[in-house]
Amino acid sequence: MPKHSWSGYLRKDGRKGIRNIILVIYTVECASFVAHQVALGEADVHVIGFPGCYDNAYAIRLMLSLATHPNVGACLAIGLGCEYTQPSRIASVVAESGRPSRWFYIQDSGGTRAGIEEGKAALNALREEMGKMTVSVSMDWSDLTIGAECGGSDGTSGLAGNPVVGKVFDALVDKGGAAIFEEVVEMIGLRDTLISRAATPQVARELDATYRKAERYCKDVRQYSVSPGNFAGGLTTIEEKSMGAFAKSGSRPIQGVLRVAQQPPAHGLWLLDSVPDGHFMQFGYTNPNDTEGIMDLVSAGAQIVLFVTGRGSVIGSAVAPLIKVTGNSVTYERMIEDMDFNASEVLSGIQSIDESASSLMDKIADVCSGSKSKPEALGHREYFLMYKHQNVPSLKSGCHA
Amino acid sequence: MTDEIGRNEKPSFQVDKADNVATMLSDAEAGDLILIRGGAAIMRLVALDGISLGHKVAIGEIPNGDFVVKYGVRIGIVTQSVKPGEWVHLHNCRSQVDERSSHLNYLSGAAQDTEYA
């Protein structure tokens, strides 16, 4: 039986985190160097940022959801001074959530060196405030939102890695937690299978519309979500990859469809739709890389993300720890410093899928209790925020029955 | 027949009883005996090609134009007749939706339709 509870951090808005980090956010590429220098050498500081000078509603929602994430205790927003995105407004939203926040423009500070000094001073002040208001709280599985993503998939991902994560998702849902999967573009070919998992007829209509949008998108951009590495690993078609990828959703009913930066309104299993909606500028790729998908899951409030890889991947994540799972024994041995969990024993018959899922839950409970996942220990903090357009129907009217 | 893996037998897994392919759990060379588990009964057949871990081997005869079935669903269409023991991949199977994948290098998966000059 996996550990039942551990100590976490209670935020003033009621959310519970498994890490207590300060998030530095830059509001344009021009401020990114200073932001990274401010965070350099600070173990509890992560950086995210948006490169564009022209602001974008989607990117702002994404930044705000990360700035007020359960794992974030305080936030410092750094701007250059010319850009549309306003660091002062990010800091206000963070303050309204009950977290300490600061902001400044590098142009006002007086340049690179002065900006870094101002940032370092702000970090010290934030750390002190955060320390004073940190409240420890007992957490259990029902307090968790977990995301699942796969990347560098091969023929083992659909047989071992993803089914084991699917079993963990079933257990999490049964324990009252929230489970989120995405990559709708990796469900191409599975329309009927997807819809059959809907909790209600209303959700079935949502899933159908989400599927059709993804299918139209792939057709329009002439790119399906399958890469040279996937083919080299034995996957021959997007339909085959889809079946394997969908296995990580487990078997519980899907409660509804979330858009990026929306949190699930209730526990259970949720599908996150990161595919752009129609827009006059038509910008945005859907899943340009794995990190983008991980950021989307974190934006939904996932305190932890399970990442299934067959070929091997060396990414981590800002804000929420990433746990790397592989079903490929060769990859596990070759990249052992990066791999947290070996699901390949399911294939060699040493472990059943249930036994493997139970060990993975032990690993998750360890990481929730403060042990560093492999990517965390290596210092990985990848992030990716891009221009995109998504319509955001209200959750009440949109998808939750 | 025993379901123990014999020496020099290469294990593979059939996900669904309706599947006409199995996924290799280790590398096999042409001429190796492949042991297939997961189906209605344990099966053995001789590999006609070298097939790497994670790749698919045909379990039965698949006539040109027929569907490749894995996980019990149609994952592609064969573009030439395939014999039991043959490697099933980009060189003899295409997607029902994704046209670009039929133009990739079938060994490496590398794209060949983008110019770099």
Side-chain angles (χ1 to χ4, degrees), chain A residues 311-340:
Chain A
R311 306 281 291 164
S313 164
V314 292
I315 59 168
S317 173
V319 183
L322 200 65
I323 294 180
K324 292 244 190 60
V325 176
T326 184
N328 185 323
S329 55
V330 177
T331 298
Y332 183 77
E333 296 302 333
R334 193 175 55 221
M335 300 176 75
I336 194 151
E337 286 185 349
D338 287 272
M339 296 298 133
D340 288 285

Side-chain angles (χ1 to χ4, degrees), chain A residues 154-159 188-190 193 215 222-224 226-240 243-245 328-330 347-349, chain B residues 13 15 23-25 37 52-56 70-71 73-77 88-90 93-101 104 106-111 113:
Chain A
D154 69 5
T156 69
S157 302
L159 296 188
I188 297 302
L190 310 183
T193 310
E215 193 182 43
R222 287 189 66 246
Q223 181 65 61
Y224 290 80
V226 53
S227 75
N230 298 148
F231 294 116
L235 298 174
T236 306
T237 63
I238 181 64
E239 300 95 303
E240 179 182 13
M243 275 309 287
N328 185 323
S329 55
V330 177
L347 296 179
S348 49
Chain B
F13 190 76
V15 186
T23 303
M24 293 304 303
L25 302 181
R37 281 191 292 206
S52 304
L53 189 160
H55 285 248
K56 292 173 293 302
K70 179 177 169 183
Y71 302 100
V73 303
R74 295 166 170 185
I75 62 151
I77 298 169
V88 176
H89 200 40
L90 295 166
C93 173
R94 67 172 175 85
S95 167
Q96 300 152 89
V97 289
D98 175 13
E99 180 261 343
R100 191 183 184 195
S101 60
L104 303 173
Y106 78 99
L107 289 173
S108 66
D113 54 357

Side-chain angles (χ1 to χ4, degrees), chain A residues 370-382:
Chain A
S371 300
K372 284 189 160 72
S373 73
K374 292 271 178 84
E376 254 187 316
L378 286 165
H380 281 286
R381 286 162 188 193
E382 283 85 339

Side-chain angles (χ1 to χ4, degrees), chain A residues 91-338:
Chain A
S92 302
V93 171
V94 174
E96 279 164 31
S97 80
R99 293 165 175 81
S101 67
R102 293 275 193 288
W103 73 276
F104 68 90
Y105 280 131
I106 299 165
Q107 286 172 346
D108 295 339
S109 317
T112 301
R113 200 184 307 272
I116 296 167
E117 272 171 27
E118 181 160 357
K120 288 281 187 191
L123 281 189
N124 288 334
L126 286 170
R127 197 175 284 122
E128 201 181 314
E129 275 181 71
M130 192 171 85
K132 278 186 205 145
M133 57 196 294
T134 295
V135 178
S136 292
V137 65
S138 171
M139 283 180 78
D140 62 31
W141 294 93
S142 70
D143 295 311
L144 280 184
T145 298
I146 299 183
E149 181 87 10
C150 48
S153 297
D154 69 5
T156 69
S157 302
L159 296 188
N162 288 325
V164 167
V165 166
K167 284 282 178 188
V168 169
F169 263 23
D170 285 355
L172 175 67
V173 166
D174 296 345
K175 289 171 184 289
I180 307 175
F181 68 113
E182 63 118 21
E183 301 167 287
V184 186
V185 286
E186 290 175 15
M187 290 164 208
I188 297 302
L190 310 183
R191 180 176 165 267
D192 296 344
T193 310
L194 176 67
I195 292 171
S196 73
R197 294 274 302 281
T200 67
Q202 159 108 17
V203 174
R205 284 190 292 277
E206 271 289 305
L207 290 174
D208 190 24
T210 304
Y211 177 87
R212 285 177 190 282
K213 181 178 75 166
E215 193 182 43
R216 197 167 58 238
Y217 184 88
C218 290
K219 223 173 259 174
D220 283 357
V221 302
R222 287 189 66 246
Q223 181 65 61
Y224 290 80
S225 187
V226 53
S227 75
N230 298 148
F231 294 116
L235 298 174
T236 306
T237 63
I238 181 64
E239 300 95 303
E240 179 182 13
K241 183 179 173 185
S242 293
M243 275 309 287
F246 190 63
K248 67 184 179 296
S249 69
S251 66
R252 298 296 179 256
I254 300 168
Q255 302 298 324
V257 180
L258 306 170
R259 299 294 168 95
V260 173
Q262 286 184 327
Q263 281 92 55
H267 66 84
L269 177 68
W270 296 81
L271 172 63
L272 191 154
D273 170 22
S274 67
V275 179
D277 287 302
H279 185 269
F280 67 96
M281 286 181 87
Q282 297 192 326
F283 45 60
Y285 253 75
T286 170
N287 279 88
N289 55 51
D290 294 329
T291 297
E292 197 256 355
I294 291 165
M295 281 293 101
D296 295 345
L297 292 165
V298 176
S299 80
Q303 295 108 323
I304 212 161
V305 176
L306 305 176
F307 186 83
V308 182
T309 180
R311 306 281 291 164
S313 164
V314 292
I315 59 168
S317 173
V319 183
L322 200 65
I323 294 180
K324 292 244 190 60
V325 176
T326 184
N328 185 323
S329 55
V330 177
T331 298
Y332 183 77
E333 296 302 333
R334 193 175 55 221
M335 300 176 75
I336 194 151
E337 286 185 349
D338 287 272

